[in-house]
Structures are given as C-alpha cells and as structure tokens.
Amino acid sequence: MGILNVTPDSFSDGGRHAALDAAVASARAMREAGVLFVDIGGESTRPGAAPVPAHEELDRVLPVIRALSGEGTVLSVDTMKPEVAAAALAAGAHLINDVTGLRDPQMRAVCADAGAPACLMHMQGEPRTMQRDPHYADVVQEVHGYLHVQAREALAAGVPDVILDPGIGFGKTLDHNLALLRALPELTEGPHPVLIGASRKRLIDFIADVPEAQDRDPGSLALHLHAARHGAAIVRAHAAAAHVQALRVQTALNAG
Ligand code: HH2
C-alpha cells in the first residue's frame, strides 16, 4: 500500500502532493511500480496534528479519487470522519482506513451501506495527545483484544470485511511498538488480514538515530520485511517502489 498524503502538514512529505496533478502522477507511478493499494489521506494523524474540517478534507481527497477511479488501483481513504468516508466511497474509493478502528457507529454504517471493507487500527488516545504518556498493562493483549472486539462489532454491523492494524506509533513507546511487531505471528494467525504501517516513523529514529523522516526508508524496509515475513498481508509505505522490489525478492526467497 503506497501512501498518498494530500495534506500540507504531513510529517514527512507535507505540501509536496498539494497539487492534484502531482498527487495523481505519484499514484500512477506507484501503480506502475507494482503497488496494489494507494492510501489517500487528507488529514494528518501525526502526533500533535491539528484536526481538519470535513469540507477541507473532502476538497483534498475527492479530486484525487475521481482522477484515479477506474484505473485498477485499489483506492483506500485514510479518514476518521463518516461524512468524508461516505463521499469518498460514492466517488469511487474502495476501502476505508480508519485510525480510530471504526469506533464511531456512523462509520460502521457508512462502510456497511456502501459494502466497503475497512482497515481497523488501534490508537491509544487521539493524535493531538497520544504520545504524551502511553501506557499499557500488557500492550499485546490489549491491542489484539481491542482489534478483535472492533472487528466483531464491524462485521456485526454489516461491514463486509476488515483488515486489522496494531497502529505502530499511535499512543505507543518504542518498547510497545517492538512488542507488537514481535507478536505479529499471533495476530496474523487469526482470520483477518493484518496491515502494518511503520513507514518513516519515530521508532526508527529511536533505534537508529535518524532524526529526519525522509531519511528513514531503510529502517522502514527492515520493519516491513519483518512484518511480511511474520504474516502481515499489507504494508503501508512512502517509498512504494523500493518496497515492491524488496518484497518481491523476499517472496522469491521464501518460495524456495
Ligand atoms: N499511519 C499513519 C496514517 N495512517 N493508517 C494505518 N492503517 N496504519 C498506520 O500505521 C497509519 C495510518 C501516519 O503516517 P502518515 O500517513 O505518513 O502521516 P500523516 O498522518 O502525518 O499524514
């Protein structure tokens, strides 16, 4: 899954895709490189990010969805707002990626009505404050438990299918993130596909001293290859072409 942020304040590529043409060209280049999903986001969820009104988020994502609709890429929309999800699905998006795990019953109803699957992510707290003092008694048990409960609720509400995501960096310390990545075999044993999004995140800086987000692609690749090797079905990445290449090589090795 390639990341297409159409926000002026995304932590690693803010402003770059602000122009529609650039966003569309970037998505097409990802598809040509072999990416299966493009995740379009009109509101940054980085720690400390300010909320964006729905009309502004729609102004950012709808033109991109309309331009890419029907081209063969699975279009995912990264949003927490039911009204944005509904309009995005009506405009041709296929999948809702909700970092609040479809906690809002309205969000479940929107996906169910449109027959759209959803990615359910775990987050402790909310983006503005989530990194202040994250704590868990048992991070793996709590996050996996939460995801299973949210999956049950979503499916019971008529959402046709769900993808589970432990939410790397969302209300988690380095130790929490590492514990969740190490526990992936448990989560991927279940019936639902698992997505991991570690691309350019702060944990790579904590591990390898890489202060600038755009310099963290090697660390992202290492984390995502680990995720894929331990059963993750989808990895969400900025450096999409490099990931396709590395995953193809890993797949060839595993086939032997
Ligand atoms: N991470 C981000 C945003 N959305 N969705 C899922 N399912 N999993 C993730 O790990 C995830 C996500 C944050 O990364 P990014 O999109 O690069 O930044 P921003 O939110 O600032 O646009």
Side-chain angles (χ1 to χ4, degrees):
M1 174 182 277
I3 300 171
L4 189 66
N5 282 323
V6 281
T7 57
D9 60 345
S10 281
F11 73 90
S12 69
D13 59 358
R16 274 222 330 259
H17 296 300
L20 172 64
D21 286 354
V24 171
S26 169
R28 288 183 180 143
M30 288 191 221
R31 191 194 60 222
E32 272 156 39
V35 161
L36 299 179
F37 302 76
V38 170
D39 189 38
I40 305 161
E43 177 177 38
S44 176
T45 48
R46 77 188 190 291
V52 174
H55 68 87
E56 203 172 316
E57 202 180 326
L58 281 169
D59 282 349
R60 294 174 182 180
V61 300
L62 285 183
V64 182
I65 295 166
R66 290 192 184 115
L68 295 171
S69 173
E71 290 190 2
T73 310
V74 179
L75 301 177
S76 160
V77 176
D78 189 345
T79 186
M80 302 181 259
K81 298 191 189 77
E83 60 267 51
V84 173
L89 291 168
H94 305 100
L95 167 74
I96 296 303
N97 174 25
D98 178 10
V99 297
T100 64
L102 248 55
R103 255 179 273 171
D104 182 344
Q106 246 187 296
M107 197 60 141
R108 297 199 281 266
V110 164
C111 292
D113 288 349
C119 178
L120 315 182
M121 199 196 76
H122 174 274
M123 164 166 57
Q124 187 178 77
E126 47 153 337
R128 224 162 24 84
T129 53
M130 65 190 177
Q131 286 308 106
R132 276 188 198 155
D133 182 25
H135 56 271
Y136 301 82
D138 180 333
V139 67
V140 171
Q141 219 175 41
E142 284 177 45
V143 170
H144 290 190
Y146 170 86
L147 291 175
H148 292 312
V149 168
Q150 292 309 110
R152 254 201 317 274
E153 297 251 331
L155 295 169
V159 179
D161 229 326
V162 293
I163 298 164
L164 307 183
D165 179 351
I168 300 303
F170 283 85
K172 281 137 196 141
T173 63
L174 172 61
D175 285 346
H176 296 145
N177 289 317
L178 291 175
L180 288 165
L181 288 162
R182 290 184 186 120
L184 261 176
E186 275 170 53
L187 188 60
T188 59
E189 241 171 40
H192 305 299
V194 171
L195 181 150
I196 291 292
S199 193
R200 297 184 181 172
K201 289 190 176 169
R202 282 285 297 284
L203 79 157
I204 299 165
D205 181 25
F206 294 142
I207 296 169
D209 190 18
V210 193
E212 298 299 329
Q214 66 271 18
D215 297 333
R216 297 178 191 152
D217 289 331
S220 310
L221 266 173
L223 293 168
H224 287 153
L225 288 176
H226 162 91
R229 213 165 34 240
H230 291 93
I234 305 168
V235 293
R236 182 181 179 279
H238 296 90
H243 274 74
V244 170
Q245 185 184 125
L247 288 163
R248 282 180 178 160
V249 170
Q250 178 163 274
T251 304
L253 286 166
N254 290 348

